[in-house]
Amino acid sequence: MSINEKVKNSNTFLDDEMDEEMEDTQEDKYLTFVLNHEEYGIEIKHVIEIIGIQNITSVPDMPVYIKGVINLRGKVIPVMDVRMRFNINEQAYNERTCIIVITVNEQLVGLIVDEVSEVLDIPKTAVEPPPKVNRGAGSKFVQGMGKVGDAVKILLNADKLLFEEDLEKFAAL
Amino acid sequence: MSSIINDEKKEFVSEFVNSSRELLDDVEPQIMALEKSSTAYGEVDPEILNTIFRLFHTLKGTASFVDLQTITSVTHEAETLLDIFRKEKINLQTEHVDLLCRTNDFIRNILDTVEKQLDDKGFEDVASGIVIDLKNTIAAVSGEAGAEKLSPGNFSGNSVPQIKPAAAASEDTQQNAQEPETEEAELEQELKLVITPEMQKRFTQESHELCEEAELMLLAFERVPDNLELAANAFRALHSIKGNAGFFGFAELEKVSHAAETILDSLRSGAKKPDKNIMSAILSAIDFIRNGAKKVADGLRIDAAETARLTEVLNSISGESLGSGPNQSRPEGQDSSSTGNAGESSKQSEAQSADGAQKSVSAATSQQYIRIDTEKLDMLLDLVGEMVIAESMVANSPDLRGLQLEKFDKAIHHLNKITRDIQETALAMRMIPLSSTFHKMERLVRDLSNKFNKKIKLEIAGEETEVDKTIIEQISDPLVHIIRNSMDHGLESNEERIAAGKPPVGTVRLEAKHSAGEVWIIIEDDGRGLNREKIIKKAIENSLIRGDGSDMKDEEVWKLIFEPGFSTAEKVSNISGRGVGMDVVKRNIEKLRGRVDIRTQKNAGTMIILRIPLTLAIIDGMEIQVGRARYIIPISSIRQSFKTTPDKITHTPDGTEVVNVRGELLPVIRLHKMYNINSLYTKLEEGLLIIVENNEKKCCLFVDELIGQQQIVIKGLSNYLGHVRGVSGCAIMGDGEISLILDIGDLINSVEMVTA
């Protein structure tokens, strides 16, 4: 309860403000990655870190796209093969394969992707709604189409990617 | 600035909430004891009444200190009521006890809100309801007393000023502090019996801390006299000491701290300027309290003459400021100030020597307890877990394979021993006695026994048994459900009991003890026992079993009561019978990796034993290999591993394989089939069979090979994956790989479901 501590407290208050500012600058930033020659983007606020592919312990009774769990410095994290989540043919992992560790609703999940590209600024004005036609396996996870120059990045909804029930499961029931 | 004040308030409030919860936990069993004594002997035990009175009094004091009006007003009325009881020796009725319990519950309920919003607003309606009830009871009771004793004047004089809500808090506390003083002295002797050694230790410890703080604040205040906040902090510390001392009945300490507090009060308001004289007086008061608290802990008496001298000095200082004219108090003031002036240097040196003495004292008291944030304990345990993993990483490093390392092995062995010791210590730090959990059940039994109209008594044994705090958190609900069940279904009505030749009052016994790496919590009743036929009938009705159940073993039948949806109660009462409760028991105990045993005898009673392993986070496990996958089986469930021969194996028509182990026929679970793994071996005689057991059910697991035994730290699989069949969690192995831990009970059950 000393004066020093009080000063410290007011400092942490300032720090909070700084954090908020940091949060602000994260807006409109996307981490892009390649999946079957298409460029995808995921909001940077979800991304914790990117690691190379590593040993995965498989867990029984899981949907095919949940490959198992990995050990990230003592934390046990489930990993999802995004290819298989989108019903794209499985591909053997190679030295370019990456795991993007993301967090949604305080849940850590690793996403296995072919290759990680870069971090891009895609302002809201450059984002179009997802196409309405041809609702394939992966389309329900798309939240928009980002235009960067001539290229188009498919922007994913991380929440749906992780938590949306897949149609196949419903069909099976 | 306002945020700072808020922070501080938050700190006080959360301290208040914590200590109040402890107080309420203390009050409840006392109320129960009170009722017991009043019904058993026809009169109340004055000691218990005093204790309750004091607990409410402390609650009121602290509540008014952090400006919680609602709690203050409610506790005030409760205190008034108790005061009448203890003064008039009136017998307590059930409704009085109910009222006190209600008050208790009400305060407990609003504490949560208080913790969040830092005040107790929004409860005025409920509070006024309770206050009115209390006041009515007070009026009724005091009317009775008045008629008996004819001393209305005494009463109006007593209760009128008290009925006003504690607006003038300081005045109020002052008054209250003085009023019970004389009685406190009277009752001190008796009170010593009620106060347990633990409480006294806590008092000494707390006083020591508070003295330390007060001293620190005072010294800082002396340097920066403009910062009145420092004086206020010292005031608060002394106020707490006073409250505690009052509660424990240490009149001397209370007197001195009260006097010192009064001076500090005028210092913090700025009405008085600090000078050396005042400061050293207060400091010597603090020293006196510190030593006093230690003396009390050692069972020594505090020097009354010294008390009187100090109080006089302190009072004369505060009297100086209170007295309107300096002339009036001059003679006395001069007296003290002259001694003060003359002895100023000597006093200072005295203070200094006291300082030195205090250092030796604090070394002697050698703080026995410190309060630690539970989060830190959790973190420590996590880190110890990581350390166990890291240690096995070093010990089993592939770099060392095939090397002859005599010295290294010795060092690793040593490290291993230390790691185990640290782990044990980290676990021991989280151990808490079960007493408060057990004593909460007294309240439950009382309420239910009124509701069911059955006279039932609760016996408690082994309440001092210590268990991990996770167990405490998980055990309370199961206990409630089991006791409820015993009281509702197990124990007969008093008439039935008399007819059956049993003592009319039923007994529920709650016992805890350690037994070979496990904690046993035993709930026993002397009721009618479980009824096999009735249970089977109900189980068939709810399609929990197939067939007529005649081939089931008794143990299997008893286990049915834990199935979800099971209830033998003919009618659903508002207490039990919905078939949810016992299911909770099973699930919570399984979460703790424990098991439930039931022993029952018709018309003699039922005994339910909750057996919970002592350590939760770290177990000895056997690593096994199936194909490329590795799994862990807890050593505690492994009975034996062996190679078999084709002639020992029988294939049943439904595809199950049964192996004959010395005449015992055990079903085989092929892990590679269950988990869809390409295993090294597919013929039973090539691989290895492991006999595992859970809840007296045995089976054989078919695996490729054993890798080895090691200590593992249990980690939960990610919530994202949900429950995995036959898997209880996972562990990070020495090589950084993750292995899944097999849940033998779940495995056996899932296989039974398929084959049944």
Side-chain angles (χ1 to χ4, degrees):
Chain A
M1 223 185 307
S2 71
I3 297 166
N4 276 342
E5 261 173 68
K6 277 178 199 162
V7 175
K8 233 194 295 174
N9 280 345
S10 52
N11 273 346
T12 52
F13 180 59
L14 281 180
D15 284 348
D16 283 349
E17 273 183 339
M18 296 267 281
D19 278 350
E20 263 167 48
E21 246 169 63
M22 293 277 285
E23 201 95 348
D24 283 344
T25 57
Q26 287 193 356
E27 210 169 298
D28 295 340
K29 275 199 165 49
Y30 293 84
L31 176 72
T32 61
F33 57 89
V34 180
L35 216 58
N36 205 23
H37 312 298
E38 278 309 337
E39 287 262 350
Y40 290 83
I42 192 160
E43 281 175 85
I44 203 88
K45 68 171 185 202
H46 294 302
V47 178
I48 303 289
E49 64 180 299
I50 301 161
I51 51 176
I53 192 75
Q54 50 176 285
N55 260 335
I56 298 170
T57 304
S58 64
V59 178
D61 299 343
M62 287 292 131
V64 282
Y65 54 83
I66 299 293
K67 301 302 281 184
V69 286
I70 56 165
N71 166 19
L72 182 68
R73 293 185 301 277
K75 277 204 183 98
V76 177
I77 296 173
V79 288
M80 170 197 287
D81 189 321
V82 186
R83 267 179 172 264
M84 303 186 75
R85 178 72 158 147
F86 292 170
N87 269 357
I88 305 170
N89 288 339
E90 197 172 1
Q91 176 192 296
Y93 301 144
N94 56 34
E95 70 279 2
R96 295 195 158 196
T97 310
C98 281
I99 299 176
I100 305 172
V101 181
I102 63 165
T103 170
V104 180
N105 300 342
E106 293 177 11
Q107 185 72 61
L108 285 173
V109 176
L111 303 177
I112 305 174
V113 299
D114 292 1
E115 186 177 328
V116 168
S117 314
E118 59 188 324
V119 176
L120 283 179
D121 248 318
I122 308 177
K124 286 186 188 68
T125 49
V127 177
E128 300 216 347
K132 290 254 183 319
V133 286
N134 185 24
R135 296 188 66 84
S139 65
K140 59 177 178 285
F141 310 121
V142 177
Q143 75 179 21
M145 309 296 281
K147 290 177 293 186
V148 181
D150 287 341
V152 174
K153 317 279 177 191
I154 303 162
L155 306 182
L156 294 176
N157 181 328
D159 188 26
K160 285 193 173 160
L161 185 65
L162 260 49
F163 298 105
E164 186 95 342
E165 291 284 335
D166 41 333
L167 292 169
E168 291 85 340
K169 223 188 231 172
F170 283 123
L173 284 173
Chain B
M1 191 63 203
S2 75
S3 81
I4 289 171
I5 287 172
N6 255 338
D7 273 359
E8 198 160 89
K9 169 132 196 207
K10 209 166 158 186
E11 203 176 296
F12 283 128
V13 169
S14 82
E15 216 164 83
F16 163 74
V17 169
N18 282 336
S19 68
S20 303
R21 285 207 180 108
E22 278 169 25
L23 279 174
L24 290 173
D25 283 347
D26 289 347
V27 169
E28 210 166 86
Q30 295 293 347
I31 296 178
M32 297 303 118
L34 187 65
E35 190 183 30
K36 236 179 253 165
S37 81
S38 88
T39 47
Y41 311 112
E43 62 177 31
V44 292
D45 188 337
E47 269 172 43
I48 301 171
L49 207 47
N50 271 310
T51 316
I52 302 175
F53 174 81
R54 223 153 253 144
L55 288 163
F56 271 112
H57 180 71
T58 315
L59 206 56
K60 184 182 91 174
T62 41
S64 79
F65 172 60
V66 286
D67 203 22
L68 298 170
Q69 303 278 350
T70 315
I71 297 182
T72 314
S73 61
V74 171
T75 44
H76 177 76
E77 295 306 331
E79 189 191 294
T80 314
L81 179 61
L82 284 161
D83 198 33
I84 296 170
F85 280 126
R86 72 171 186 166
K87 287 216 177 93
E88 300 301 328
K89 306 256 189 296
I90 297 167
N91 207 355
L92 253 76
Q93 305 297 320
T94 319
E95 68 246 37
H96 299 147
V97 176
D98 278 334
L99 193 55
L100 289 175
C101 287
R102 248 178 68 209
T103 316
N104 209 354
D105 288 345
F106 167 70
I107 300 168
R108 199 190 293 276
N109 285 340
I110 58 180
L111 280 177
D112 293 331
T113 318
V114 168
E115 203 169 20
K116 277 189 216 104
Q117 63 185 39
L118 301 186
D119 61 41
D120 56 356
K121 296 198 171 65
F123 288 97
E124 284 85 355
D125 289 351
V126 195
S128 64
I130 293 178
V131 167
I132 287 167
D133 283 354
L134 282 166
K135 276 195 177 143
N136 287 341
T137 318
I138 290 167
V141 173
S142 60
E144 225 172 84
E148 265 175 37
K149 287 198 68 180
L150 207 140
S151 54
N154 195 359
F155 258 108
S156 62
N158 219 341
S159 52
V160 165
Q162 287 191 347
I163 278 168
K164 67 167 168 52
S170 63
E171 203 183 69
D172 213 57
T173 42
Q174 215 164 306
Q175 199 180 22
N176 277 319
Q178 272 158 5
E179 184 202 325
E181 212 165 78
T182 45
E183 272 159 90
E184 239 136 65
E186 267 171 40
L187 287 162
E188 193 187 5
Q189 222 34 50
E190 295 172 52
L191 263 168
K192 282 235 165 88
L193 302 170
V194 184
I195 294 163
T196 64
E198 283 95 325
M199 286 162 85
Q200 212 164 64
K201 265 187 201 159
R202 213 163 72 188
F203 169 71
T204 311
Q205 174 67 21
E206 237 173 63
S207 308
H208 188 81
E209 279 168 21
L210 288 167
C211 284
E212 205 98 348
E213 199 196 348
E215 198 173 63
L216 213 74
M217 288 300 147
L218 269 183
L219 294 175
F221 182 55
E222 201 172 18
R223 281 194 300 274
V224 196
D226 292 329
N227 193 342
L228 296 176
E229 194 59 38
L230 293 169
N233 286 340
F235 169 80
R236 278 182 206 113
L238 271 170
H239 184 76
S240 304
I241 296 175
K242 186 182 89 175
N244 285 346
F247 170 62
F248 281 93
F250 301 134
E252 292 88 352
L253 295 182
E254 199 191 3
K255 253 185 224 159
V256 172
S257 49
H258 175 71
E261 184 196 287
T262 316
I263 302 174
L264 277 166
D265 193 28
S266 46
L267 283 177
R268 69 167 180 168
S269 62
K272 214 171 173 60
K273 288 277 164 254
D275 60 34
K276 280 208 174 117
N277 198 4
I278 295 177
M279 283 302 179
S280 31
I282 301 177
L283 283 172
S284 57
I286 292 174
D287 285 340
F288 172 78
I289 295 166
R290 199 195 322 257
N291 290 332
K294 193 176 169 293
K295 267 188 196 159
V296 165
D298 294 343
L300 301 170
R301 290 204 65 86
I302 299 165
D303 191 352
E306 174 77 353
T307 313
R309 195 189 62 80
L310 249 174
T311 323
E312 206 187 301
V313 170
L314 292 166
N315 280 344
S316 70
I317 291 171
S318 57
E320 222 171 74
S321 77
L322 287 177
S324 48
N327 284 334
Q328 277 179 342
S329 58
R330 183 50 73 184
E332 223 187 306
Q334 213 160 26
D335 249 35
S336 75
S337 71
S338 67
T339 51
N341 276 333
E344 198 176 292
S345 54
S346 73
K347 254 212 179 122
Q348 257 199 321
S349 66
E350 197 181 288
Q352 265 161 12
S353 70
D355 230 52
Q358 165 232 320
K359 256 171 210 145
S360 63
V361 165
S362 63
T365 357
S366 75
Q367 308 203 346
Q368 294 220 305
Y369 296 98
I370 50 167
R371 284 159 194 255
I372 302 177
D373 193 343
T374 49
E375 257 177 44
K376 283 188 191 160
L377 288 181
D378 289 345
M379 213 201 306
L380 177 69
L381 198 67
D382 279 351
L383 286 171
V384 170
E386 298 291 318
M387 188 169 72
V388 172
I389 296 169
E391 189 226 298
S392 78
M393 271 187 194
V394 174
N396 304 321
S397 167
D399 294 352
L400 305 173
R401 216 158 276 164
L403 297 178
Q404 289 292 328
L405 302 163
E406 205 176 299
K407 282 192 184 127
F408 179 82
D409 285 347
K410 228 178 186 176
I412 278 287
H413 187 75
H414 189 56
L415 179 65
N416 184 278
K417 195 183 165 300
I418 295 170
T419 320
R420 274 190 188 247
D421 286 353
I422 291 178
Q423 182 193 319
E424 263 166 37
T425 315
L427 287 169
M429 280 163 65
R430 299 159 49 90
M431 303 288 258
I432 311 169
L434 277 162
S435 48
S436 71
T437 313
F438 274 19
H439 283 292
K440 274 187 197 129
M441 299 305 145
E442 282 188 13
R443 172 75 184 280
L444 178 81
V445 170
R446 174 195 173 267
D447 285 359
L448 290 183
S449 109
N450 279 356
K451 206 162 247 167
F452 295 143
N453 222 354
K454 294 179 189 172
K455 277 202 179 123
I456 293 163
K457 68 172 189 284
L458 178 73
E459 283 178 7
I460 289 178
E463 54 181 302
E464 71 286 346
T465 309
E466 290 191 332
V467 296
D468 191 275
K469 83 180 175 60
T470 335
I471 298 179
I472 299 260
E473 284 156 15
Q474 294 287 341
I475 203 73
S476 182
D477 282 353
L479 283 183
V480 168
H481 289 298
I482 294 173
I483 290 177
R484 230 180 229 179
N485 248 42
S486 285
M487 293 180 68
D488 196 6
H489 310 307
L491 292 169
E492 313 88 335
S493 69
N494 298 33
E495 295 77 35
E496 275 174 73
R497 290 183 66 90
I498 294 169
K502 289 185 184 180
V505 177
T507 307
V508 176
R509 210 181 123 80
L510 196 54
E511 187 187 344
K513 62 179 178 190
H514 286 297
S515 171
E518 287 182 327
V519 184
W520 288 22
I521 296 170
I522 303 164
I523 305 100
E524 192 182 2
D525 66 53
D526 60 351
R528 48 173 82 96
L530 293 176
N531 184 327
R532 186 184 158 100
E533 287 72 38
K534 220 166 157 187
I535 292 173
I536 289 177
K537 190 169 151 258
K538 262 281 150 55
I540 293 169
E541 270 171 38
N542 296 336
S543 52
L544 292 171
I545 52 169
R546 292 183 192 181
D548 61 358
S550 56
D551 56 338
M552 287 175 82
K553 285 185 205 155
D554 275 353
E555 292 81 53
E556 290 173 331
V557 174
W558 309 147
K559 291 255 152 74
L560 286 173
I561 65 168
F562 294 113
E563 291 303 317
F566 182 88
S567 170
T568 54
E570 256 80 54
K571 60 178 198 305
V572 173
S573 68
N574 58 348
I575 311 297
S576 57
R578 285 188 199 284
V580 188
M582 295 305 252
D583 177 35
V584 169
V585 174
K586 193 175 143 199
R587 270 188 288 125
N588 278 22
I589 300 303
E590 274 175 3
K591 251 189 240 168
L592 297 168
R593 295 192 301 110
R595 48 191 270 200
V596 186
D597 281 359
I598 303 177
R599 290 171 202 170
T600 181
Q601 204 177 351
K602 202 160 191 180
N603 293 325
T606 310
M607 182 193 238
I608 294 178
I609 307 175
L610 310 177
R611 301 171 61 173
I612 301 158
L614 270 181
T615 58
L616 293 168
I618 302 179
I619 59 165
D620 281 313
M622 177 66 77
E623 202 179 3
I624 53 137
Q625 183 135 24
V626 187
R628 287 181 52 226
R630 291 173 172 193
Y631 297 99
I632 303 224
I633 304 173
I635 291 283
S636 55
S637 10
I638 297 183
R639 292 292 159 268
Q640 183 189 351
S641 69
F642 63 101
K643 291 242 177 201
T644 188
T645 48
D647 59 297
K648 293 267 172 61
I649 301 160
T650 315
H651 297 262
T652 63
D654 60 3
T656 323
E657 292 159 303
V658 178
V659 64
N660 184 342
V661 186
R662 290 184 297 272
E664 207 175 350
L665 298 176
L666 300 173
V668 175
I669 298 176
R670 285 171 174 262
L671 276 184
H672 67 97
K673 264 196 187 163
M674 178 143 186
Y675 290 145
N676 251 332
I677 302 163
N678 289 323
S679 63
L680 196 57
Y681 307 112
T682 50
K683 286 188 183 145
L684 290 186
E685 59 273 20
E686 287 172 343
L688 201 63
L689 288 171
I690 303 172
I691 302 178
V692 288
E693 182 180 344
N694 180 270
N695 274 358
E696 281 128 47
K697 285 182 194 161
K698 282 187 198 168
C699 76
C700 284
L701 293 184
F702 176 59
V703 304
D704 286 352
E705 59 176 328
L706 295 182
I707 296 175
Q709 180 182 345
Q710 65 172 288
Q711 271 204 314
I712 53 150
V713 180
I714 300 174
K715 286 186 181 269
L717 265 183
S718 164
N719 290 333
Y720 184 64
L721 303 178
H723 176 75
V724 181
R725 190 169 45 117
V727 173
S728 63
C730 63
I732 294 171
M733 306 309 291
D735 54 6
E737 296 283 305
I738 299 172
S739 287
L740 301 182
I741 302 167
L742 296 182
D743 181 340
I744 300 302
D746 198 32
L747 262 182
I748 295 177
N749 285 340
S750 68
V751 170
E752 275 186 347
M753 275 214 271
V754 174
T755 54

